[in-house]
Amino acid sequence: MMWYSQTISISPKPRGFHLITDEITAALPQLHDTKIGILHLFLQHTSASLTINENADPSVRRDLEQWFSRNVRENEPYYEHTFEGSDDMPAHIKSSILGCALSIPVVDGSLQLGTWQGIVLGEHRDHGGARNIVATLHGND
């Protein structure tokens, strides 16, 4: 059994949903040596999120952003946490709804995502900056 852990820095992205599967797999050459295992991803931020969703049609990611922006609005009068900008409290809510962690099976060196699935970073701030993801791989090589 093997354990491997690494922090992956994801380059700054604009607000929206971004396919990051290739960035994750490129940072983890150890995946190729894993016969069977699991990759756990943990995002170390409270104003962004991780999810698995459509990897082919970018309109899905744009629609996700539209839905979340309309349903978790900025500048609501009941927000108390406002000193970090009007996009901050909605970003925390979106992050809580979607979550900050994923677990993905690995078989024969490949993530076992479905044909149309990819790892998606939800950037919920206008200027969120680089995001760190702790990747922990456990399995047999």
Side-chain angles (χ1 to χ4, degrees):
M1 290 298 250
M2 140 317 264
W3 282 94
Y4 177 78
S5 184
Q6 171 184 334
T7 300
I8 301 168
S9 182
I10 302 296
S11 61
K13 310 268 189 247
R15 186 180 351 197
F17 288 80
H18 306 277
L19 190 62
I20 61 166
T21 310
D22 290 345
E23 285 182 75
I24 297 296
T25 57
L28 295 169
Q30 300 78 3
L31 278 172
H32 303 294
D33 299 326
T34 305
K35 182 75 176 156
I36 188 166
I38 193 138
L39 174 64
H40 184 264
L41 301 173
F42 179 79
L43 179 68
Q44 295 181 304
H45 301 275
T46 62
S47 57
S49 60
L50 289 175
T51 189
I52 293 176
N53 216 299
E54 173 78 39
N55 68 0
D57 186 349
S59 70
V60 171
R61 294 185 298 279
R62 290 191 300 270
D63 287 346
L64 284 168
E65 175 57 29
Q66 290 296 319
W67 188 89
F68 274 96
S69 290
R70 287 186 180 145
N71 288 282
V72 184
R73 296 172 192 234
E74 295 185 18
N75 300 308
E76 291 291 355
Y78 50 84
Y79 291 157
E80 290 183 45
H81 179 75
T82 59
F83 62 91
E84 292 182 54
S86 63
D87 65 338
D88 190 45
M89 190 59 224
H92 293 305
I93 295 168
K94 294 170 189 177
S95 175
S96 290
I97 290 169
L98 289 165
C100 63
L102 300 173
S103 292
I104 305 166
V106 179
V107 175
D108 294 329
S110 295
L111 297 177
Q112 295 302 289
L113 294 167
T115 301
W116 306 111
Q117 289 181 320
I119 302 166
V120 175
L121 171 72
E123 176 52 69
H124 307 306
R125 298 293 311 266
D126 290 329
H127 306 287
R131 299 299 192 170
N132 294 321
I133 298 173
V134 177
T136 304
L137 179 61
H138 177 62
N140 289 327
D141 49 1

